[in-house]
Amino acid sequence: FLSVPCSSFGSGTATSAATIRVADISKDLSAIQECRRSAYANEGKDFSTLLSAAKSFCNADQIQKPGYICVIAQAKDGTVLGTADLNTRAKIVNNVYVREEARKQGLAQLMMEAVEDSLSDKLPTTLKLTVQSKNIPAISLYKKLGFEAPGVYGFLDATPFDFLIEMEKKLG
């Protein structure tokens, strides 16, 4: 797909490049799993204590099934910096995640654009996703990319509760 400059990820300050591409599960699965486990390691949680949905995310169970692809952002050293999954049949995006140390560099946007580009049929369709209501950076990104939240009005962060918001984007 494409390469973008990516600065100061990890504890170093060196500049590297990230490649955005569709993962080859036979080659990239362990790096994807390591990336996703970092989501919980940063919270100080032990993988063995996670609920089944979190374990499934970390194990990348979904993308190992037919009809799914995973777009990754990968550093030159092979480290997977982020992932975004697509159910190609239902046109649903799941598991958009960028490692904390690689955020605010445009990787999520590039992965989402690659997800759209990967759709084999360019027929009119609706791409859907869900996002947690308190994930304001992700909601802002999805709105910037043309996603809307039908039936959701006002400020999305005005509630103390965390709920899922379904967003969709018309394509074609």
Side-chain angles (χ1 to χ4, degrees):
F1 276 95
L2 51 117
S3 293
V4 293
C6 219
S7 61
S8 65
F9 61 89
S11 58
T13 57
T15 299
S16 188
T19 301
I20 308 297
R21 65 177 176 83
V22 174
D24 177 342
I25 299 305
S26 66
K27 296 177 183 172
D28 298 321
L29 183 60
S30 63
I32 291 167
Q33 291 169 331
E34 194 275 326
C35 173
R36 292 182 177 185
R37 287 184 178 137
S38 75
Y40 295 97
N42 291 339
E43 295 178 16
K45 294 182 181 176
D46 179 350
F47 178 72
S48 64
T49 65
L50 298 177
L51 298 176
S52 63
K55 283 183 182 178
S56 178
F57 165 76
C58 291
N59 288 329
D61 294 339
Q62 178 176 282
I63 60 172
Q64 298 178 62
K65 298 176 185 174
Y68 287 87
I69 64 164
C70 178
V71 171
I72 61 173
Q74 189 172 38
K76 283 183 181 177
D77 68 0
T79 302
V80 173
L81 303 173
T83 68
D85 301 347
L86 173 65
N87 176 327
T88 58
R89 295 179 190 142
K91 310 292 191 274
I92 297 173
V93 180
N94 293 324
N95 302 326
V96 179
Y97 172 72
V98 176
R99 288 176 181 262
E100 191 172 336
E101 64 269 20
R103 293 181 184 163
K104 303 214 183 291
Q105 299 178 44
L107 296 178
Q109 179 172 341
L110 292 169
M111 288 189 303
M112 289 296 295
E113 290 168 354
V115 162
E116 284 187 43
D117 291 344
S118 71
L119 292 171
S120 58
D121 59 12
K122 299 299 179 185
L123 301 173
T125 190
T126 301
L127 192 59
K128 294 184 178 186
L129 58 82
T130 56
V131 60
Q132 293 179 329
S133 62
K134 290 189 177 192
N135 193 344
I136 302 305
I139 292 168
S140 297
L141 169 65
Y142 300 144
K143 284 182 173 184
K144 177 180 171 183
L145 292 172
F147 283 84
E148 298 176 343
V152 176
Y153 303 98
F155 295 101
L156 296 178
D157 61 347
T159 175
F161 304 106
D162 193 13
F163 56 92
L164 289 177
I165 298 171
E166 184 174 283
M167 299 185 80
E168 58 185 40
K169 178 180 180 178
K170 306 275 188 225
L171 302 175

